[in-house]
Amino acid sequence: MTATTTPAKAVPPADGLPPAGRGGGVRAYLRYVAGRLAGAAVSLLAVLVTGFFLFRIVPGDPVRAMTHGRPTSAEQLAALRRQFGLDQPLWQQFADYCGKALTGDLGMSYQFHAPVGELIVQKLPATLLLTGTAVVVYSALGLWLGTRSAWRHGSPGDRLTTGVALTLWSVPSFWLGLLLIITFAVGAGPVPGMFPTGGMESGDATGLAYIADVAHHMVLPVLTLVAVGYAQTLLVMRSSLLDEMGGDYLTTARAKGLRDDAVRRRHAVPNALLPTVTMVFINLGHVAAGSILVETVFSWPGLGGLFYQALSVPDLPLVQGLFMVFAGAMILMNLLADLLYPLLDPRVGR
């Protein structure tokens, strides 16, 4: 009688996946990353091309706009066009533009007579301060209110919150900003003027007083951005969480004796975050762009106001450079969101 031996059981690895599975998962993720990087590169190329041709169909002659109100001969206008390269054929202007842009040279501003890159660097901190603060506030507010509205959907609080959000979302930001200026800066009826009408600082404060002065100037523009911006995050989070609330895993969690708050916090909300992550990263992409209308209404010295000034000429190198920065920030944030997806949901990218 031949003795039979029982084969020893293979000990599973610590992460529960076989080596081939782990290797295949890594390779799949790397392919996923490569595809997203290629897509981002194509998008940047499209932005480069669009940024050149888009602003050349804007009405207006940059040279005549810069010499407006001053007697200028035809010879002087021709000399300015030669100086700015506007007398060259369009294809040659495009080739020069692409060559400089790929090396990081965004050109020289027509109206400010300074490198576009330096102008953007000077104005960027003000925009990051204003819109960065607003994005953090309205993203957190939207996530919190969206979660509460979905968990208590159909209640009077849900209807009120959703109704207010939809109303504010439909309001033009510049119009709301003007209303806030009239009411809280100029003063209307019994409401006295409490905040500055525009600008970033009064110019006569230092130290902690300067920080308080800047914060005082930020109240109305941040309130405008938050009032208009939080609704989108709220509605996306609410819709995503409502889709998750019928899941069997939530019933199982309740059957195990977990409290309702724990079920929401530990199980429902993490699974509902994926669509909202996209929204949060898109909002972060808007930080670099700022809000052109809000910065213009409140005379905020950021990139949005700079873009408005450049577009009014039109200052072609400046609007092209700002367009590339705005679009590049959005592409980068979308790329980061895409790369984060597989970490939140392993099914993505497999």
Side-chain angles (χ1 to χ4, degrees):
M1 184 174 180
T2 305
T4 59
T5 58
T6 303
K9 292 183 178 180
V11 179
D15 58 4
L17 293 174
R22 290 200 306 275
V26 171
R27 286 192 297 271
Y29 181 69
L30 291 178
R31 286 195 300 269
Y32 175 80
V33 170
R36 291 300 179 270
L37 289 174
V42 172
S43 298
L44 283 174
L45 181 61
V47 167
L48 189 67
V49 175
T50 304
F52 178 82
F53 291 102
L54 177 65
F55 298 108
R56 273 161 177 75
I57 64 175
V58 175
D61 184 345
V63 173
R64 289 192 177 277
M66 285 184 290
T67 59
H68 180 69
R70 289 176 290 176
T72 309
S73 65
E75 291 78 11
Q76 291 173 317
L77 292 176
L80 286 174
R81 288 193 174 90
R82 284 195 302 271
Q83 177 183 346
F84 297 128
L86 297 175
D87 62 329
Q88 299 174 351
L90 191 62
W91 68 267
Q92 188 171 349
Q93 294 183 43
F94 179 67
D96 292 341
Y97 160 76
C98 290
K100 291 180 179 179
L102 292 175
T103 60
D105 183 2
L106 299 179
M108 186 75 66
S109 168
Y110 295 163
Q111 57 181 324
F112 296 104
H113 304 288
V116 170
E118 291 184 5
L119 293 172
I120 292 175
V121 170
Q122 291 173 6
K123 299 293 185 178
L124 184 60
T127 290
L128 293 180
L129 177 63
L130 177 66
T131 56
T133 302
V135 165
V136 169
V137 172
Y138 71 64
S139 294
L141 184 64
L143 286 171
W144 179 64
L145 290 177
T147 301
R148 293 181 63 86
S149 293
W151 206 250
R152 296 176 174 84
H153 64 283
S155 67
D158 173 38
R159 291 195 292 269
L160 176 63
T161 301
T162 306
V164 171
L166 288 172
T167 301
L168 290 175
W169 195 15
S170 63
V171 172
S173 58
F174 72 91
W175 184 76
L176 180 59
L178 290 173
L179 284 183
L180 292 178
I181 289 175
I182 293 172
T183 305
F184 298 106
V186 178
V191 180
M194 298 177 287
F195 300 100
T197 57
M200 182 177 172
E201 56 182 282
S202 300
D204 55 356
T206 58
L208 293 177
Y210 172 77
I211 296 176
D213 182 45
V214 172
H216 191 220
H217 282 75
M218 286 177 59
V219 172
L220 293 185
V222 167
L223 182 59
T224 302
L225 292 172
V226 169
V228 175
Y230 88 98
Q232 192 173 19
T233 307
L234 182 152
L235 295 173
V236 170
M237 186 62 192
R238 181 181 182 275
S239 175
S240 180
L241 188 54
L242 284 175
D243 290 340
E244 295 290 334
M245 286 176 61
D248 293 337
Y249 69 95
L250 296 184
T251 304
T252 303
R254 291 189 180 96
K256 290 180 178 180
L258 289 180
R259 296 174 53 192
D260 200 51
D261 288 343
V263 172
R264 182 184 70 238
R265 186 176 61 255
R266 297 180 189 177
H267 299 281
V269 171
N271 284 284
L273 277 178
L274 196 59
T276 314
V277 166
T278 303
M279 188 61 55
V280 171
F281 274 90
I282 290 175
N283 292 338
L284 290 174
H286 285 304
V287 170
S291 177
I292 297 172
L293 295 177
V294 172
E295 288 193 8
T296 302
V297 167
F298 288 96
S299 302
W300 190 264
L303 295 181
L306 184 64
F307 186 81
Y308 177 80
Q309 289 178 283
L311 197 59
S312 62
V313 173
D315 189 337
L316 295 178
L318 188 52
V319 293
Q320 288 169 178
L322 288 168
F323 180 75
M324 288 185 61
V325 171
F326 297 164
M330 292 298 299
I331 292 171
L332 176 61
M333 289 299 106
N334 276 287
L335 175 63
L336 292 178
D338 287 341
L339 298 183
L340 184 62
Y341 282 170
L343 303 179
L344 298 175
D345 187 348
R347 295 171 296 180
V348 178
R350 295 294 186 263

